[in-house]
Amino acid sequence: MTTVPTSITDGRALVDQAMRAAAERLDPWTRRVVAYHLGWTDEDGRPAAAGGKALRPALALLSARAAGTSYETALPGAVAVEFVHAFSLLHDDIMDGDRTRRHRPAAWTVFGPSAAILGGDALLALSEELLLDQHTRGAHWAARALTAATQRLISGQALDIGFESRDDVALDECLTMAADKTGALLACACSIGAMLGEGPTRLVTDLTGYGAEMGLAFQLVDDLLGIWGSPETTGKPVLSDLRTRKKSLPVVYALNSGRPESERLAELYTRPEPPSEDALREMARLVEAAGGRDWAAAEADRRIASAGRYLDDSGMDDVVAAEFRDIALFVTSRDH
Amino acid sequence: MTTVPTSITDGRALVDQAMRAAAERLDPWTRRVVAYHLGWTDEDGRPAAAGGKALRPALALLSARAAGTSYETALPGAVAVEFVHAFSLLHDDIMDGDRTRRHRPAAWTVFGPSAAILGGDALLALSEELLLDQHTRGAHWAARALTAATQRLISGQALDIGFESRDDVALDECLTMAADKTGALLACACSIGAMLGEGPTRLVTDLTGYGAEMGLAFQLVDDLLGIWGSPETTGKPVLSDLRTRKKSLPVVYALNSGRPESERLAELYTRPEPPSEDALREMARLVEAAGGRDWAAAEADRRIASAGRYLDDSGMDDVVAAEFRDIALFVTSRDH
């Protein structure tokens, strides 16, 4: 795996401290769920260290640098985007029935679905609260952008759930879903620091464009890992997205490719019974033979190139632009 | 039942129109759930008329009049508080396993829990969005107050869920729970129009105080109806809160009264099996004999009196104050 760019690790302690301080505002019962979900505690409330990579806060802080503003100004935005991300994971795991998150039991399996619903609700409200506590025009801009990203995140999840019961999902719908579910919040993360710093609108637009393209690349790679990733990397069983017959981007590409393999793949995807290990291996071969794997990898590259063009056009500081480029490469070169 | 005050029906058409316009922003799948939950459509998406009493929007508009501002200015606040209320009902029904809401199947039983979780999430985000779309200091004030009320609503629900597995709930904890779960949002509704109109801080404080006290009175009456209300009024079976052994205010008062009936009531409340009809009637008699019914009715009156004092002190227009008084009486004179 590529080395983690320093811009990701750089402000991590600052963000961690701010997140913990913000979570102190929650009532003890909800805080317990949130602390577990964020990896700060184990199931019994004892200190733990199991957090995620905190990609979104790192992007938020980097976007502050792009606008020439301080980390301190961007900090509420960094925490807010991570809280919205955490909210969506808490609720999605319940909806999707996912029992594992970051190699640990999902919060709803530990504390029950009610606690996880409330924990997510509290994080969503708290994210807005943190921004509104800043009485600046930039904070208003950031808060408005964050609610818009949240609505797209919700639409994307709704579309994704709808896909489960459909056998006619088109590639463009699937791309819309990924843009909403993954791209929108990453785009907000990449620009929220610049908004808080009241940077030029043009810079915010370019950072948003960069984040949306990088977000799609991120999802494409995630979908590749969901089929061909190793369990050590993904924390999930091999061929995991095929087990749940998820309509991920490479699969939907393959189903719509019009090649001979599409039909057999569609047949395996619509069988009522859970697929055997043999069937899973066959499905993976079919997705690859129908071009799904190559397309997804090439599309991720195209999106990264497109993300880079937003950086070129933005006129931002070269050092900061280089760090954004590093992050895009890091995100798409995860082990697959 | 007392006649509905004109201030409740007055701006209803305006609010209804604004709510429907706002819901148009949601993706079609989430909008379907929201439209059903708000009573605009039936289970098949056909137009229906099954909405609630829209008490909170009416209070929001009235608070605009208290601050001498227009309904138009207050409208985003009126819609936002109703959406937060709707969000909490959507999620609470899932958590509490309540299958009926306003005499109809609860949304989660019709569309599934995932759709109801997402519908609630979308309403919460949308409520903030509506306020942030107004670029005024008043809207910022209102948005901040609404997130604070939402956090208290969540704490109250967390506390309430915690009560279910406890047999040592004290009366002051139960009052805190009701103040959080019911009082906070009503207090916000009573003041949000004045915030949007950028009225004096003192007026907003008095309106918040009025709303918090009126909200507690509302909850006390609700709890009385939950035991002694008729099924026609409540839309629930007789003695409904006793069936679920809810730790409502009159019950918690009775359990802590130290009278001979407390012990027998506690015993019936902790039995593992569902109570028989005989046991339910005995529980109701015990709550009454231990003073729970009288205390709750007297406490509701005290809260209404206290709410009235906030109006006296506020120096607001007499006509508007009289309408707030009418609403408090209306809310506490529901058939019990």
Side-chain angles (χ1 to χ4, degrees):
Chain A
M1 198 185 292
T2 322
T3 324
V4 181
T6 49
S7 48
I8 290 193
T9 48
D10 203 20
R12 191 174 277 173
L14 205 64
V15 172
D16 188 68
Q17 196 182 20
M19 283 173 69
R20 288 171 192 261
E24 286 297 314
R25 299 192 190 184
L26 301 174
D27 69 88
W29 198 78
T30 312
R31 190 165 61 232
R32 205 170 52 110
V33 179
V34 164
Y36 173 81
H37 178 62
L38 291 170
W40 301 337
T41 52
D42 69 10
E43 297 166 48
D44 303 310
R46 287 180 301 235
K53 50 194 166 315
L55 172 65
R56 288 158 193 81
L59 291 164
L61 295 185
L62 194 53
S63 83
R65 283 177 57 199
T69 194
S70 68
Y71 275 3
E72 206 182 16
T73 306
L75 206 48
V79 174
V81 288
E82 190 66 359
F83 279 176
V84 170
H85 179 55
F87 136 79
S88 76
L89 297 182
L90 263 171
H91 283 189
D92 284 2
D93 283 347
I94 306 170
M95 294 183 231
D96 303 339
D98 283 339
R99 306 189 63 87
T100 304
R101 165 69 56 197
R102 291 175 186 148
H103 309 266
R104 302 196 307 164
W108 70 271
T109 69
V110 177
F111 302 99
S114 296
I117 293 174
L118 277 180
D121 294 345
L123 283 171
L124 182 54
L126 186 53
S127 68
E128 283 300 313
E129 215 172 304
L130 292 171
L131 293 171
L132 293 171
D133 278 352
Q134 315 297 313
H135 293 267
T136 62
R137 289 171 58 89
H140 188 102
W141 192 4
R144 185 63 187 78
L146 189 61
T147 57
T150 304
Q151 289 295 13
R152 287 189 56 197
L153 206 148
I154 292 166
S155 303
Q157 171 69 358
L159 210 51
D160 201 12
I161 292 176
F163 286 177
E164 285 169 24
S165 54
R166 286 176 47 194
D167 53 13
D168 62 347
V169 178
L171 187 59
D172 62 344
E173 288 179 290
C174 199
L175 284 164
T176 300
M177 184 276 285
D180 284 347
K181 191 169 167 174
T182 310
L185 189 61
L186 278 167
C188 184
C190 289
S191 51
I192 201 166
M195 291 185 233
L196 280 157
E198 300 178 23
T201 308
R202 173 65 200 274
L203 176 66
V204 169
T205 309
D206 283 331
L207 287 171
T208 304
Y210 161 84
E213 292 293 56
M214 185 269 282
L216 254 180
F218 181 91
Q219 189 56 55
L220 285 155
V221 171
D222 223 53
D223 286 355
L224 287 168
L225 289 170
I227 303 177
W228 295 283
S230 69
E232 296 77 47
T233 307
T234 63
K236 292 176 186 170
V238 282
L239 306 170
S240 94
D241 282 356
L242 299 178
R243 278 173 210 279
T244 57
R245 280 173 280 193
K246 188 175 159 190
K247 300 211 174 69
S248 67
L249 285 158
V251 170
V252 171
Y253 179 91
L255 287 168
N256 287 288
S257 71
R259 295 201 204 170
E261 296 86 0
S262 308
E263 222 164 297
R264 171 72 181 153
L265 181 63
E267 189 204 312
L268 289 168
Y269 246 66
T270 47
R271 278 191 187 167
E273 71 277 8
S276 67
E277 295 298 316
D278 275 349
L280 287 170
R281 279 188 292 271
E282 189 187 348
M283 285 151 80
R285 273 197 308 274
L286 291 165
V287 175
E288 188 158 1
R293 187 175 190 170
D294 285 347
W295 169 81
E299 184 67 19
D301 288 343
R302 279 190 293 273
R303 297 289 179 167
I304 289 299
S306 166
R309 283 191 293 274
Y310 280 104
L311 298 176
D312 297 338
D313 294 348
S314 71
M316 81 175 71
D317 180 84
D318 284 347
V319 177
V320 177
E323 293 198 28
F324 271 118
R325 268 179 242 281
D326 278 354
I327 288 184
L329 287 176
F330 168 68
V331 151
T332 48
S333 64
R334 289 173 292 160
D335 171 31
H336 59 283
Chain B
M1 198 185 294
T2 322
T3 323
V4 181
T6 50
S7 48
I8 290 194
T9 48
D10 202 20
R12 191 174 279 175
L14 204 63
V15 171
D16 187 67
Q17 196 182 20
M19 282 173 70
R20 287 170 191 261
E24 286 297 314
R25 298 193 191 184
L26 302 174
D27 70 88
W29 198 78
T30 312
R31 191 166 60 232
R32 204 170 52 109
V33 179
V34 164
Y36 173 81
H37 177 63
L38 291 170
W40 301 337
T41 52
D42 69 11
E43 297 165 50
D44 302 311
R46 288 180 300 235
K53 50 195 165 316
L55 171 64
R56 288 159 193 80
L59 290 164
L61 296 185
L62 194 52
S63 84
R65 284 176 57 199
T69 195
S70 68
Y71 275 4
E72 206 183 15
T73 305
L75 206 49
V79 174
V81 289
E82 190 66 0
F83 279 177
V84 170
H85 179 54
F87 135 79
S88 77
L89 297 181
L90 263 170
H91 283 190
D92 285 2
D93 283 347
I94 305 170
M95 295 183 230
D96 302 340
D98 283 339
R99 306 189 63 86
T100 303
R101 165 71 53 197
R102 290 175 187 150
H103 309 267
R104 301 197 307 165
W108 70 271
T109 69
V110 178
F111 303 99
S114 296
I117 292 174
L118 277 179
D121 294 346
L123 283 171
L124 181 54
L126 186 53
S127 68
E128 283 300 313
E129 215 171 305
L130 292 171
L131 293 171
L132 294 171
D133 278 351
Q134 314 298 312
H135 292 267
T136 62
R137 288 171 59 89
H140 189 103
W141 191 3
R144 186 64 187 78
L146 189 61
T147 58
T150 304
Q151 289 294 12
R152 287 189 57 198
L153 206 148
I154 292 166
S155 304
Q157 171 69 358
L159 211 52
D160 201 12
I161 291 176
F163 287 177
E164 283 170 24
S165 53
R166 286 178 47 194
D167 53 14
D168 62 347
V169 178
L171 187 59
D172 62 344
E173 287 179 290
C174 199
L175 284 164
T176 299
M177 184 275 286
D180 284 347
K181 191 170 168 174
T182 311
L185 189 62
L186 279 166
C188 184
C190 289
S191 52
I192 201 166
M195 290 186 234
L196 281 157
E198 301 178 23
T201 307
R202 173 64 200 275
L203 175 67
V204 169
T205 309
D206 284 330
L207 287 171
T208 303
Y210 161 85
E213 292 292 56
M214 185 269 281
L216 254 180
F218 181 92
Q219 189 55 56
L220 285 155
V221 171
D222 223 51
D223 285 355
L224 287 168
L225 289 170
I227 303 178
W228 294 284
S230 70
E232 296 77 47
T233 307
T234 63
K236 292 175 185 172
V238 282
L239 306 169
S240 93
D241 282 355
L242 299 178
R243 279 173 210 278
T244 58
R245 282 174 280 194
K246 187 175 160 189
K247 301 211 174 67
S248 67
L249 285 159
V251 170
V252 171
Y253 179 90
L255 287 168
N256 287 289
S257 71
R259 297 201 204 170
E261 295 86 359
S262 308
E263 223 164 297
R264 172 72 182 153
L265 181 64
E267 190 204 313
L268 289 169
Y269 246 66
T270 46
R271 278 190 187 167
E273 71 277 9
S276 65
E277 295 298 315
D278 276 349
L280 287 170
R281 280 188 291 271
E282 188 187 348
M283 284 151 81
R285 274 197 307 274
L286 290 165
V287 175
E288 189 158 1
R293 187 175 191 170
D294 285 348
W295 169 80
E299 184 67 19
D301 288 344
R302 279 191 293 273
R303 298 289 179 166
I304 289 299
S306 165
R309 284 192 293 274
Y310 280 104
L311 299 176
D312 297 338
D313 293 349
S314 71
M316 81 175 72
D317 179 85
D318 283 348
V319 177
V320 178
E323 293 198 28
F324 271 118
R325 267 179 244 281
D326 278 355
I327 288 185
L329 288 176
F330 167 67
V331 151
T332 48
S333 64
R334 288 173 293 159
D335 171 30
H336 60 281

